[in-house]
């Protein structure tokens, strides 16, 4: 899910594409709540869509935690 849907914009390895890189280094300036909020509500005025129709708050928090803690496999 993360790599498919998010990867269509952020790149399959989350290194960036249409959207910015989602690697932990790139997200270090956010905390868990901030990232959860970005995922649920999107970034207004940009291509980053809100996911609150598709994901619960728990799902978004899981994704945020995953983004901050797990390094994607190298390509
Ligand atoms: C339709 C394309 C698209 C999809 C699909 C998408 N994003 Fe994004 N995302 C963007 C764009 C564009 C931005 C940059 C917004 C900006 O200019 O601040 C962004 C920004 C972000 C940011 C903030 C990054 C930063 O450094 O400011 C996070 C976190 C994020 N996306 C997570 C996700 C997650 C998780 C998913 C999958 C559930 C996802 N995105 C799916 C286009 C997308």
């Amino acid at each position: 899910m993360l790599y498919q849907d998010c990867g269509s914009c952020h790149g399959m390895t989350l290194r960036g594409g249409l959207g910015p890189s989602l690697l932990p280094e790139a997200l270090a300036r956010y905390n868990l709540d901030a990232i959860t909020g970005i995922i649920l509500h999107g970034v207004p005025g940009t291509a980053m869509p809100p996911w609150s129709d598709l994901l619960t708050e728990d799902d978004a928090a899981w994704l945020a935690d995953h983004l901050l803690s797990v390094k994607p496999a190298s390509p």
Side-chain angles (χ1 to χ4, degrees):
M1 145 79 202
L2 175 64
Y3 298 97
Q4 291 290 322
D5 285 355
C6 314
S8 62
C9 287
H10 291 281
M12 288 310 276
T13 55
L14 305 182
R15 277 157 208 275
L18 174 63
S21 165
L22 294 182
L23 295 180
E25 304 90 87
L27 294 175
R29 68 187 192 278
Y30 296 114
N31 64 25
L32 202 64
D33 283 350
I35 297 172
T36 305
I38 291 171
I39 294 170
L40 280 180
H41 305 299
V43 182
T46 74
M48 175 63 187
W51 293 86
S52 51
D53 288 350
L54 295 170
L55 299 174
T56 66
E57 206 170 321
D58 282 353
D59 292 337
W62 183 90
L63 279 171
D65 185 56
H66 186 77
L67 286 173
L68 282 178
S69 56
V70 178
K71 282 216 183 277
S74 306

